[in-house]
Amino acid sequence: MKALAIDTSLTRITIAAKNDDKTAYLTLDIGMKQSEKLIPSFEYVLSQVDLKTSELDYTVLCKGPGSFTGLRLAFSALKAIELAYDVPVYGVGTLDTYSYAYSDLDIPVLCAVDAKKNRFYLKAQYKGNVLIDDGDYQLEDACKGILKIESDRIFVCGSDAALFIERIKELVPAKKFLCLRGTPNETENLFAIAEEMMDKKIPTLKDFDGPVYIRASEAEENLTARSNNASE
């Protein structure tokens, strides 16, 4: 398969291209410069595996939750490729992407991404069963969900697994939290998930599909506040 995968759900962007048995990866931890670097970066990665955009069988992205700006950039870039070359776009939830490699573990797997302001995007699963739904959680609410998990050991993955464990371990002393050191390459998971979606005939993203934010943007929060004040 010939494919392009992009994860811009964090300030770190990761791009991968594969041309059958050749694969190239690029990760840029450059802060808020995604708009400047995204297009040149995926053109560079494609060139490393001797692949043209028009030759792609599919593209796949992390659809959120995550960075508002980053997610919109990825959607815009891949939908432009779809319009230009009729290349289907697959969308995979960020938390599902990060937890995919650990789905066969014999203990519950909790994926954690820092949502700032002492909150985390979380999802917990065990053998395909969802234990904590995708959501934007305060630590107190996360504790309630974790206490309902029967296992006394929980594997934590995701971009901010270590930070989450640091914040939560004293609040839930009855649980033992485990995680791996280092940062895995989540774009490999995107390729695998997208090809499973193909096999299962799961639809690609529609024209009207957009990022998954979970939390309202600051502009939406301000608009809601003004509306509430006006109605009082």
Side-chain angles (χ1 to χ4, degrees), residues 6-10 34 38 61-79 89-95 121 134 205-217 220:
I6 299 178
D7 175 17
T8 58
S9 58
L10 308 174
Q34 293 176 331
L38 184 60
L61 52 73
C62 278
K63 64 181 182 180
S67 161
F68 180 87
T69 302
L71 292 171
R72 290 178 65 85
L73 285 170
F75 269 78
S76 298
L78 296 194
K79 288 193 174 185
V89 185
Y90 288 90
V92 182
T94 304
L95 301 175
Y121 299 123
D134 261 11
L205 292 173
K206 303 294 189 296
D207 290 344
F208 53 80
D209 285 334
V212 175
Y213 297 121
I214 296 180
R215 180 192 297 177
S217 68
E220 290 171 322

Side-chain angles (χ1 to χ4, degrees), residues 63-155:
K63 64 181 182 180
S67 161
F68 180 87
T69 302
L71 292 171
R72 290 178 65 85
L73 285 170
F75 269 78
S76 298
L78 296 194
K79 288 193 174 185
I81 291 175
E82 180 181 33
L83 288 172
Y85 301 107
D86 195 28
V87 177
V89 185
Y90 288 90
V92 182
T94 304
L95 301 175
D96 289 326
T97 300
Y98 292 175
S99 61
Y100 176 81
Y102 314 108
S103 56
D104 290 333
L105 290 182
D106 287 328
I107 62 174
V109 175
L110 186 151
C111 187
V113 173
D114 187 12
K116 308 304 180 185
K117 300 180 181 179
N118 212 32
R119 303 176 70 98
F120 287 85
Y121 299 123
L122 300 175
K123 183 176 183 178
Q125 302 178 80
Y126 178 62
K127 300 290 188 179
N129 296 312
V130 176
L131 306 178
I132 297 177
D133 290 328
D134 261 11
D136 175 7
Y137 293 88
Q138 293 182 336
L139 286 176
E140 293 79 3
D141 293 327
C143 289
K144 294 175 184 177
I146 289 169
L147 286 170
K148 293 179 181 178
I149 296 175
E150 294 182 0
S151 174
D152 60 352
R153 297 192 308 153
I154 298 172
F155 179 81

